[in-house]
Amino acid sequence: MPRHSASRPLLAVALACATLLSACGGGGGDSSSTSSGASAGSDVSVSNYQSLATPLARTVVNVAGSADVSGASGGTAQGASTSAVRTALRSVVSARAVALRAGGQARVTAVTSDTVACDSSGSVTITFNDADNNGQLSVGDSISLMLSNCAFTADEPAANGGLSMTLQGLQIDGQGIPSALQASGSFNALSVGADSMSGQFQMSYAPASGGMTSVSMSFTDMTASTSGQTVVYNTTFSGQFASDGSGSFSITGRLGLGGETYLLDQPQPFVLAADGHPTSGSLRMRDAAGDALVVRARPGDLVDFEFYPAGATTPSATLTGQPWSNYGG
């Protein structure tokens, strides 16, 4: 089942914006894993694992929802509105990249800006700082996006705020467009409707074998407020994606909920269909004692949640057959 185009998961929008320059279950309670990194007050239990499952499942949906960061143009792996934002931004960035590469023109300043109207309302401003003033995209150059009441369809909430990033590594193709990139930057009160996020990131993408694109994004103290709940990400999202949005990805690191920190690891990467949610794979969230919540994808746009006491290899409680659409998909 394709995702609802108007769902507009904020994290998916953020991932799409940050990468606009680019083109089945195992034992969840593996006692060999460490719980280092979880705060002392963190707690996963039979009484709360279902409530903790909601923000964790939303995170999976949002990452899966931005799967065409690999450069997909025809898939429906992310919401149509997010895809529209990304397509519009990429067209402007690509045009500026070619213009910078052209050279041979009188250049008054190394800083240039383009503002384009969003289809339904508002605008987005893209600013380039050609740090070495060499007329080409190169390491050290910086890019910022600022969205002002930007909506691409009438039924979606407007986006505001923005992001900035500095290029740390770059490969340019024959058309002057980045084919591989490394960058660091920040989200600056990026919001979609009532949801918002701010914090630091590092990201990269590069061609991989078999026509795939390898994508990675790491968040540092990234605070996101979604549906009235605040989540703090010190997390890495990494994967490989095909041009139709299919592929696989993993989520690792630490997740902050309710003032406590939980450890994330991925026993099995999520496998993503071109026009749907993960069909296999498992993500585990553990507390300081080693108790664990496992999110397990299965075919049919469904997800299971399992609670494992510390050291257990079989769950002591489960919630099975939940539609991914319950969590924003």
Side-chain angles (χ1 to χ4, degrees):
M1 176 185 299
R3 297 178 185 82
H4 300 296
S5 63
S7 61
R8 300 275 323 182
L10 177 61
L11 181 57
V13 174
L15 290 168
C17 288
T19 53
L20 61 93
L21 289 176
S22 72
C24 229
D30 183 356
S31 59
S32 65
S33 299
T34 175
S35 297
S36 174
S39 62
S42 59
D43 180 47
V44 179
S45 67
V46 69
S47 62
N48 73 358
Y49 82 97
Q50 292 186 24
S51 62
L52 291 173
T54 296
L56 195 57
R58 284 176 180 159
T59 297
V60 175
V61 167
N62 291 344
V63 176
S66 57
D68 80 352
V69 295
S70 63
S73 57
T76 58
Q78 71 184 59
S81 55
T82 300
S83 181
V85 172
R86 182 180 173 279
T87 299
L89 296 181
R90 185 181 179 185
S91 67
V92 176
V93 170
S94 297
R96 286 301 308 147
V98 172
L100 281 172
R101 189 170 183 268
Q105 302 175 14
R107 291 166 50 82
V108 177
T109 176
V111 179
T112 59
S113 292
D114 293 287
T115 298
V116 295
C118 303
D119 289 349
S120 181
S121 69
S123 63
V124 56
T125 298
I126 304 177
T127 301
F128 287 82
N129 182 0
D130 184 12
D132 53 9
N133 204 19
N134 68 350
Q136 299 180 357
L137 286 177
S138 53
V139 172
D141 292 352
S142 62
I143 304 168
S144 67
L145 310 179
M146 182 57 64
L147 295 91
S148 177
N149 198 38
C150 176
F152 280 84
T153 65
D155 62 350
E156 67 182 21
N160 289 280
L163 67 88
S164 59
M165 65 182 182
T166 299
L167 303 181
Q168 298 175 319
L170 191 67
Q171 293 182 9
I172 303 293
D173 66 17
Q175 287 71 49
I177 308 302
S179 59
L181 179 147
Q182 293 177 318
S184 63
S186 62
F187 293 100
N188 309 309
L190 178 66
S191 68
V192 177
D195 300 340
S196 64
M197 68 188 304
S198 295
Q200 307 296 311
F201 70 86
Q202 290 190 322
M203 58 82 62
S204 65
Y205 68 84
S209 60
M212 305 288 278
T213 298
S214 177
V215 179
S216 176
M217 174 169 269
S218 296
F219 288 158
T220 301
D221 294 332
M222 181 69 67
T223 300
S225 296
T226 304
S227 300
Q229 185 170 44
T230 298
V231 180
V232 180
Y233 294 95
N234 285 280
T235 309
T236 296
F237 309 103
S238 58
Q240 291 194 349
F241 302 98
S243 61
D244 63 0
S246 63
S248 63
F249 66 92
S250 296
I251 306 172
T252 58
R254 291 174 288 125
L255 195 70
L257 291 169
E260 302 294 343
T261 301
Y262 298 83
L263 189 67
L264 300 180
D265 70 310
Q266 189 97 33
Q268 293 181 319
F270 287 119
V271 175
L272 183 66
D275 62 351
H277 299 99
T279 57
S280 65
S282 59
L283 174 65
R284 177 171 48 197
M285 183 172 78
R286 285 172 290 142
D287 64 15
D291 300 325
L293 160 65
V294 172
V295 175
R296 194 178 305 281
R298 59 187 175 98
D301 284 336
L302 299 175
V303 58
D304 298 339
F305 304 110
E306 304 165 349
F307 169 67
Y308 291 80
T313 58
T314 58
S316 64
T318 60
L319 178 65
T320 61
Q322 300 303 297
W324 279 113
S325 58
N326 288 352
Y327 307 98

